[in-house]
Amino acid sequence: MKNMLLMSSSKYKDTDYLIHTIPWLRQFLSAYQGKSIAFVPYAGVRQSYDEYEQKVRQVLSALNMEIISVHRGAKHAEIIERSDVVAIGGGNTFCLLKGLYDNHLLEPIRAKVNAGTPYFGWSAGAVAAGRSIMTTNDMPITYPPSFNALNLFPHQINPHFISGKMQGHNGESREERLQEFLTVNPTALVYALPEGTALHIQGDQARVLGERAVLRFSGKMSMDTLAAETTFHY
């Protein structure tokens, strides 16, 4: 059964990096103590893959699991194939997806997760689990061959969701950007994840984690509010 944890962000309020996710990850990975996590660092632009790997290792040491970045393998897919869990970190979603295409990881990850290997990702790593990356917040600083992503969650993710406009901002709000997407893609569903929220996917069901509601946009910006601990079929 598919088992995924899709998290909006690496920080929440005044917490340090990934700290607010530790309770979720402990429960999510409770049956995997001592097992290995294949970490995909491609979204990291302002740090090397070595630095990103070390950063994640240090923070997630409390999980008592071995974390190995895919760039350690002669072929990156080798690390995926022998791992017990797959994790994808945040950063720039376009760089992430290009790395997944360039290193031929889309199919290996998709096959493993569909076969029951746990997957967790935050920010860009959550977006990439969806149908496409067209609802990311990032600048297209590089060009993946396609916007099509892992499609493990067959809808769109928008992380770091903030409603409305801050004072003095005259550009589009997040709702307006998502309305543009839905105007061009009217049959899509977009799950907007505010900071500190996550979706726990098990099979064909999802549960909302965190202190805040997740929003689901469809059609002409019809909105459903999915409160914390809500379980729904997707």
mmCIF file of all heavy atoms in Angstrom, residues 9-42:
data_model
loop_
_atom_site.group_PDB
_atom_site.id
_atom_site.type_symbol
_atom_site.label_atom_id
_atom_site.label_comp_id
_atom_site.label_asym_id
_atom_site.label_seq_id
_atom_site.Cartn_x
_atom_site.Cartn_y
_atom_site.Cartn_z
ATOM 1 N N SER A 9 6.729 22.321 4.488
ATOM 2 C CA SER A 9 7.911 23.143 4.726
ATOM 3 C C SER A 9 8.900 22.460 5.652
ATOM 4 O O SER A 9 8.567 21.509 6.365
ATOM 5 C CB SER A 9 7.491 24.481 5.347
ATOM 6 O OG SER A 9 6.714 24.268 6.509
ATOM 7 N N SER A 10 10.127 22.970 5.649
ATOM 8 C CA SER A 10 11.174 22.452 6.540
ATOM 9 C C SER A 10 11.183 23.163 7.889
ATOM 10 O O SER A 10 11.815 22.692 8.825
ATOM 11 C CB SER A 10 12.551 22.597 5.885
ATOM 12 O OG SER A 10 12.818 23.965 5.598
ATOM 13 N N LYS A 11 10.483 24.301 7.968
ATOM 14 C CA LYS A 11 10.408 25.050 9.223
ATOM 15 C C LYS A 11 8.963 25.478 9.457
ATOM 16 O O LYS A 11 8.192 25.642 8.519
ATOM 17 C CB LYS A 11 11.311 26.286 9.193
ATOM 18 C CG LYS A 11 12.798 25.980 9.112
ATOM 19 C CD LYS A 11 13.618 27.274 9.153
ATOM 20 C CE LYS A 11 15.110 26.979 9.093
ATOM 21 N NZ LYS A 11 15.912 28.228 9.162
ATOM 22 N N TYR A 12 8.643 25.692 10.731
ATOM 23 C CA TYR A 12 7.315 26.180 11.091
ATOM 24 C C TYR A 12 7.440 27.115 12.280
ATOM 25 O O TYR A 12 8.042 26.746 13.296
ATOM 26 C CB TYR A 12 6.382 25.018 11.420
ATOM 27 C CG TYR A 12 4.985 25.439 11.804
ATOM 28 C CD1 TYR A 12 4.258 26.314 11.001
ATOM 29 C CD2 TYR A 12 4.399 24.960 12.967
ATOM 30 C CE1 TYR A 12 2.969 26.699 11.354
ATOM 31 C CE2 TYR A 12 3.110 25.336 13.322
ATOM 32 C CZ TYR A 12 2.396 26.205 12.513
ATOM 33 O OH TYR A 12 1.131 26.591 12.860
ATOM 34 N N LYS A 13 6.908 28.318 12.132
ATOM 35 C CA LYS A 13 7.027 29.355 13.157
ATOM 36 C C LYS A 13 8.498 29.578 13.471
ATOM 37 O O LYS A 13 9.283 29.883 12.578
ATOM 38 C CB LYS A 13 6.196 28.984 14.389
ATOM 39 C CG LYS A 13 4.690 28.955 14.108
ATOM 40 C CD LYS A 13 3.884 28.637 15.352
ATOM 41 C CE LYS A 13 2.390 28.678 15.053
ATOM 42 N NZ LYS A 13 1.563 28.306 16.222
ATOM 43 N N ASP A 14 8.920 29.395 14.724
ATOM 44 C CA ASP A 14 10.309 29.690 15.082
ATOM 45 C C ASP A 14 11.148 28.422 15.263
ATOM 46 O O ASP A 14 12.206 28.455 15.888
ATOM 47 C CB ASP A 14 10.371 30.547 16.351
ATOM 48 C CG ASP A 14 9.706 29.866 17.553
ATOM 49 O OD1 ASP A 14 9.094 28.796 17.363
ATOM 50 O OD2 ASP A 14 9.799 30.412 18.668
ATOM 51 N N THR A 15 10.693 27.296 14.708
ATOM 52 C CA THR A 15 11.447 26.049 14.865
ATOM 53 C C THR A 15 12.667 26.025 13.951
ATOM 54 O O THR A 15 12.687 26.675 12.900
ATOM 55 C CB THR A 15 10.580 24.828 14.540
ATOM 56 O OG1 THR A 15 10.133 24.919 13.181
ATOM 57 C CG2 THR A 15 9.374 24.748 15.466
ATOM 58 N N ASP A 16 13.686 25.265 14.333
ATOM 59 C CA ASP A 16 14.842 25.058 13.479
ATOM 60 C C ASP A 16 14.505 24.063 12.371
ATOM 61 O O ASP A 16 13.423 23.465 12.339
ATOM 62 C CB ASP A 16 16.027 24.549 14.307
ATOM 63 C CG ASP A 16 16.627 25.634 15.195
ATOM 64 O OD1 ASP A 16 16.511 26.822 14.824
ATOM 65 O OD2 ASP A 16 17.176 25.296 16.253
ATOM 66 N N TYR A 17 15.455 23.849 11.501
ATOM 67 C CA TYR A 17 15.275 23.044 10.296
ATOM 68 C C TYR A 17 14.740 21.645 10.603
ATOM 69 O O TYR A 17 15.364 20.886 11.352
ATOM 70 C CB TYR A 17 16.613 22.942 9.566
ATOM 71 C CG TYR A 17 16.529 22.359 8.189
ATOM 72 C CD1 TYR A 17 16.013 23.093 7.128
ATOM 73 C CD2 TYR A 17 16.965 21.063 7.937
ATOM 74 C CE1 TYR A 17 15.938 22.565 5.862
ATOM 75 C CE2 TYR A 17 16.897 20.521 6.668
ATOM 76 C CZ TYR A 17 16.376 21.274 5.633
ATOM 77 O OH TYR A 17 16.303 20.747 4.370
ATOM 78 N N LEU A 18 13.583 21.335 10.051
ATOM 79 C CA LEU A 18 12.901 20.036 10.118
ATOM 80 C C LEU A 18 12.441 19.618 11.513
ATOM 81 O O LEU A 18 11.860 18.537 11.665
ATOM 82 C CB LEU A 18 13.783 18.916 9.521
ATOM 83 C CG LEU A 18 14.004 18.948 8.001
ATOM 84 C CD1 LEU A 18 14.947 17.839 7.584
ATOM 85 C CD2 LEU A 18 12.675 18.828 7.240
ATOM 86 N N ILE A 19 12.671 20.445 12.527
ATOM 87 C CA ILE A 19 12.357 20.026 13.893
ATOM 88 C C ILE A 19 10.870 19.725 14.065
ATOM 89 O O ILE A 19 10.505 18.740 14.728
ATOM 90 C CB ILE A 19 12.821 21.094 14.913
ATOM 91 C CG1 ILE A 19 14.353 21.196 14.908
ATOM 92 C CG2 ILE A 19 12.312 20.774 16.312
ATOM 93 C CD1 ILE A 19 15.071 19.900 15.250
ATOM 94 N N HIS A 20 10.013 20.539 13.460
ATOM 95 C CA HIS A 20 8.578 20.294 13.654
ATOM 96 C C HIS A 20 8.108 19.016 12.966
ATOM 97 O O HIS A 20 7.024 18.509 13.270
ATOM 98 C CB HIS A 20 7.751 21.496 13.154
ATOM 99 C CG HIS A 20 7.542 21.523 11.672
ATOM 100 N ND1 HIS A 20 8.510 21.956 10.791
ATOM 101 C CD2 HIS A 20 6.472 21.165 10.905
ATOM 102 C CE1 HIS A 20 8.043 21.880 9.560
ATOM 103 N NE2 HIS A 20 6.818 21.402 9.599
ATOM 104 N N THR A 21 8.916 18.464 12.064
ATOM 105 C CA THR A 21 8.526 17.240 11.365
ATOM 106 C C THR A 21 8.922 15.971 12.116
ATOM 107 O O THR A 21 8.443 14.890 11.761
ATOM 108 C CB THR A 21 9.159 17.187 9.959
ATOM 109 O OG1 THR A 21 10.571 16.913 10.064
ATOM 110 C CG2 THR A 21 8.962 18.492 9.209
ATOM 111 N N ILE A 22 9.780 16.081 13.106
ATOM 112 C CA ILE A 22 10.308 14.888 13.787
ATOM 113 C C ILE A 22 9.196 14.019 14.374
ATOM 114 O O ILE A 22 9.210 12.787 14.183
ATOM 115 C CB ILE A 22 11.335 15.274 14.869
ATOM 116 C CG1 ILE A 22 12.561 15.964 14.236
ATOM 117 C CG2 ILE A 22 11.781 14.037 15.650
ATOM 118 C CD1 ILE A 22 13.376 15.102 13.324
ATOM 119 N N PRO A 23 8.217 14.562 15.105
ATOM 120 C CA PRO A 23 7.152 13.687 15.623
ATOM 121 C C PRO A 23 6.398 12.948 14.519
ATOM 122 O O PRO A 23 6.065 11.761 14.674
ATOM 123 C CB PRO A 23 6.235 14.659 16.379
ATOM 124 C CG PRO A 23 7.122 15.797 16.763
ATOM 125 C CD PRO A 23 8.072 15.953 15.606
ATOM 126 N N TRP A 24 6.120 13.641 13.411
ATOM 127 C CA TRP A 24 5.462 12.974 12.292
ATOM 128 C C TRP A 24 6.331 11.851 11.751
ATOM 129 O O TRP A 24 5.850 10.740 11.514
ATOM 130 C CB TRP A 24 5.191 13.960 11.155
ATOM 131 C CG TRP A 24 4.248 15.061 11.461
ATOM 132 C CD1 TRP A 24 3.303 15.104 12.449
ATOM 133 C CD2 TRP A 24 4.138 16.302 10.752
ATOM 134 N NE1 TRP A 24 2.615 16.279 12.398
ATOM 135 C CE2 TRP A 24 3.095 17.040 11.374
ATOM 136 C CE3 TRP A 24 4.801 16.851 9.672
ATOM 137 C CZ2 TRP A 24 2.718 18.311 10.927
ATOM 138 C CZ3 TRP A 24 4.427 18.118 9.222
ATOM 139 C CH2 TRP A 24 3.396 18.829 9.845
ATOM 140 N N LEU A 25 7.624 12.137 11.538
ATOM 141 C CA LEU A 25 8.517 11.148 10.941
ATOM 142 C C LEU A 25 8.731 9.957 11.866
ATOM 143 O O LEU A 25 8.852 8.820 11.393
ATOM 144 C CB LEU A 25 9.849 11.806 10.578
ATOM 145 C CG LEU A 25 9.790 12.786 9.401
ATOM 146 C CD1 LEU A 25 11.088 13.559 9.275
ATOM 147 C CD2 LEU A 25 9.488 12.043 8.100
ATOM 148 N N ARG A 26 8.799 10.197 13.167
ATOM 149 C CA ARG A 26 8.949 9.080 14.103
ATOM 150 C C ARG A 26 7.784 8.100 13.969
ATOM 151 O O ARG A 26 7.971 6.887 13.953
ATOM 152 C CB ARG A 26 9.040 9.605 15.538
ATOM 153 C CG ARG A 26 10.416 10.101 15.930
ATOM 154 C CD ARG A 26 10.510 10.267 17.430
ATOM 155 N NE ARG A 26 11.860 10.656 17.838
ATOM 156 C CZ ARG A 26 12.146 11.724 18.547
ATOM 157 N NH1 ARG A 26 11.177 12.544 18.945
ATOM 158 N NH2 ARG A 26 13.386 11.997 18.893
ATOM 159 N N GLN A 27 6.585 8.642 13.876
ATOM 160 C CA GLN A 27 5.413 7.773 13.731
ATOM 161 C C GLN A 27 5.376 7.147 12.339
ATOM 162 O O GLN A 27 5.103 5.945 12.199
ATOM 163 C CB GLN A 27 4.143 8.574 13.993
ATOM 164 C CG GLN A 27 2.878 7.737 13.941
ATOM 165 C CD GLN A 27 1.657 8.507 14.376
ATOM 166 O OE1 GLN A 27 1.714 9.706 14.638
ATOM 167 N NE2 GLN A 27 0.522 7.831 14.471
ATOM 168 N N PHE A 28 5.657 7.947 11.335
ATOM 169 C CA PHE A 28 5.616 7.476 9.952
ATOM 170 C C PHE A 28 6.609 6.340 9.713
ATOM 171 O O PHE A 28 6.326 5.390 8.971
ATOM 172 C CB PHE A 28 5.928 8.667 9.038
ATOM 173 C CG PHE A 28 5.951 8.365 7.571
ATOM 174 C CD1 PHE A 28 4.801 8.005 6.893
ATOM 175 C CD2 PHE A 28 7.135 8.478 6.854
ATOM 176 C CE1 PHE A 28 4.820 7.738 5.531
ATOM 177 C CE2 PHE A 28 7.173 8.224 5.496
ATOM 178 C CZ PHE A 28 6.010 7.855 4.832
ATOM 179 N N LEU A 29 7.783 6.425 10.353
ATOM 180 C CA LEU A 29 8.855 5.457 10.127
ATOM 181 C C LEU A 29 9.074 4.531 11.324
ATOM 182 O O LEU A 29 10.151 3.952 11.471
ATOM 183 C CB LEU A 29 10.156 6.203 9.811
ATOM 184 C CG LEU A 29 10.109 7.094 8.561
ATOM 185 C CD1 LEU A 29 11.366 7.948 8.459
ATOM 186 C CD2 LEU A 29 9.932 6.251 7.301
ATOM 187 N N SER A 30 8.067 4.365 12.151
ATOM 188 C CA SER A 30 8.225 3.592 13.388
ATOM 189 C C SER A 30 8.630 2.140 13.135
ATOM 190 O O SER A 30 9.300 1.524 13.975
ATOM 191 C CB SER A 30 6.929 3.624 14.201
ATOM 192 O OG SER A 30 5.851 3.074 13.455
ATOM 193 N N ALA A 31 8.260 1.605 11.989
ATOM 194 C CA ALA A 31 8.597 0.209 11.680
ATOM 195 C C ALA A 31 9.922 0.078 10.938
ATOM 196 O O ALA A 31 10.286 -1.038 10.530
ATOM 197 C CB ALA A 31 7.479 -0.419 10.848
ATOM 198 N N TYR A 32 10.662 1.192 10.787
ATOM 199 C CA TYR A 32 11.866 1.177 9.963
ATOM 200 C C TYR A 32 13.129 1.547 10.737
ATOM 201 O O TYR A 32 14.124 1.957 10.139
ATOM 202 C CB TYR A 32 11.684 2.119 8.758
ATOM 203 C CG TYR A 32 10.690 1.572 7.757
ATOM 204 C CD1 TYR A 32 9.326 1.765 7.947
ATOM 205 C CD2 TYR A 32 11.112 0.835 6.657
ATOM 206 C CE1 TYR A 32 8.402 1.248 7.050
ATOM 207 C CE2 TYR A 32 10.203 0.318 5.758
ATOM 208 C CZ TYR A 32 8.845 0.527 5.962
ATOM 209 O OH TYR A 32 7.938 0.007 5.071
ATOM 210 N N GLN A 33 13.113 1.397 12.054
ATOM 211 C CA GLN A 33 14.290 1.684 12.859
ATOM 212 C C GLN A 33 15.481 0.867 12.356
ATOM 213 O O GLN A 33 15.368 -0.339 12.123
ATOM 214 C CB GLN A 33 14.020 1.342 14.325
ATOM 215 C CG GLN A 33 12.984 2.235 14.988
ATOM 216 C CD GLN A 33 13.524 3.632 15.237
ATOM 217 O OE1 GLN A 33 14.530 3.805 15.914
ATOM 218 N NE2 GLN A 33 12.845 4.627 14.694
ATOM 219 N N GLY A 34 16.630 1.538 12.173
ATOM 220 C CA GLY A 34 17.830 0.856 11.709
ATOM 221 C C GLY A 34 17.884 0.627 10.209
ATOM 222 O O GLY A 34 18.880 0.090 9.714
ATOM 223 N N LYS A 35 16.865 1.023 9.489
ATOM 224 C CA LYS A 35 16.827 0.847 8.038
ATOM 225 C C LYS A 35 17.464 2.055 7.340
ATOM 226 O O LYS A 35 17.943 2.984 7.980
ATOM 227 C CB LYS A 35 15.386 0.667 7.565
ATOM 228 C CG LYS A 35 14.651 -0.518 8.196
ATOM 229 C CD LYS A 35 15.221 -1.840 7.736
ATOM 230 C CE LYS A 35 14.377 -2.993 8.248
ATOM 231 N NZ LYS A 35 14.883 -4.312 7.786
ATOM 232 N N SER A 36 17.449 2.031 6.008
ATOM 233 C CA SER A 36 18.143 3.077 5.245
ATOM 234 C C SER A 36 17.165 3.987 4.507
ATOM 235 O O SER A 36 16.113 3.548 4.038
ATOM 236 C CB SER A 36 19.102 2.444 4.230
ATOM 237 O OG SER A 36 18.386 1.692 3.267
ATOM 238 N N ILE A 37 17.563 5.260 4.414
ATOM 239 C CA ILE A 37 16.809 6.263 3.667
ATOM 240 C C ILE A 37 17.664 6.744 2.501
ATOM 241 O O ILE A 37 18.789 7.196 2.702
ATOM 242 C CB ILE A 37 16.449 7.474 4.550
ATOM 243 C CG1 ILE A 37 15.562 7.060 5.724
ATOM 244 C CG2 ILE A 37 15.761 8.561 3.719
ATOM 245 C CD1 ILE A 37 15.311 8.179 6.722
ATOM 246 N N ALA A 38 17.135 6.639 1.299
ATOM 247 C CA ALA A 38 17.787 7.240 0.129
ATOM 248 C C ALA A 38 17.319 8.678 0.033
ATOM 249 O O ALA A 38 16.118 8.944 -0.109
ATOM 250 C CB ALA A 38 17.418 6.476 -1.137
ATOM 251 N N PHE A 39 18.260 9.607 0.131
ATOM 252 C CA PHE A 39 17.925 11.032 0.120
ATOM 253 C C PHE A 39 18.262 11.638 -1.238
ATOM 254 O O PHE A 39 19.368 11.462 -1.760
ATOM 255 C CB PHE A 39 18.685 11.759 1.225
ATOM 256 C CG PHE A 39 18.513 13.251 1.194
ATOM 257 C CD1 PHE A 39 17.256 13.819 1.364
ATOM 258 C CD2 PHE A 39 19.593 14.092 0.985
ATOM 259 C CE1 PHE A 39 17.083 15.199 1.319
ATOM 260 C CE2 PHE A 39 19.436 15.465 0.950
ATOM 261 C CZ PHE A 39 18.176 16.021 1.116
ATOM 262 N N VAL A 40 17.330 12.375 -1.800
ATOM 263 C CA VAL A 40 17.513 13.042 -3.097
ATOM 264 C C VAL A 40 17.741 14.532 -2.835
ATOM 265 O O VAL A 40 16.825 15.233 -2.399
ATOM 266 C CB VAL A 40 16.287 12.831 -4.006
ATOM 267 C CG1 VAL A 40 16.490 13.551 -5.338
ATOM 268 C CG2 VAL A 40 16.043 11.335 -4.239
ATOM 269 N N PRO A 41 18.965 15.045 -3.113
ATOM 270 C CA PRO A 41 19.321 16.422 -2.753
ATOM 271 C C PRO A 41 19.238 17.424 -3.896
ATOM 272 O O PRO A 41 19.683 18.565 -3.746
ATOM 273 C CB PRO A 41 20.779 16.261 -2.328
ATOM 274 C CG PRO A 41 21.310 15.252 -3.309
ATOM 275 C CD PRO A 41 20.149 14.301 -3.575
ATOM 276 N N TYR A 42 18.679 17.036 -5.036
ATOM 277 C CA TYR A 42 18.802 17.840 -6.249
ATOM 278 C C TYR A 42 18.211 19.243 -6.126
ATOM 279 O O TYR A 42 18.591 20.136 -6.887
ATOM 280 C CB TYR A 42 18.120 17.149 -7.436
ATOM 281 C CG TYR A 42 18.589 15.760 -7.754
ATOM 282 C CD1 TYR A 42 17.712 14.832 -8.309
ATOM 283 C CD2 TYR A 42 19.908 15.358 -7.515
ATOM 284 C CE1 TYR A 42 18.123 13.545 -8.627
ATOM 285 C CE2 TYR A 42 20.321 14.072 -7.825
ATOM 286 C CZ TYR A 42 19.425 13.162 -8.379
ATOM 287 O OH TYR A 42 19.825 11.900 -8.685
#
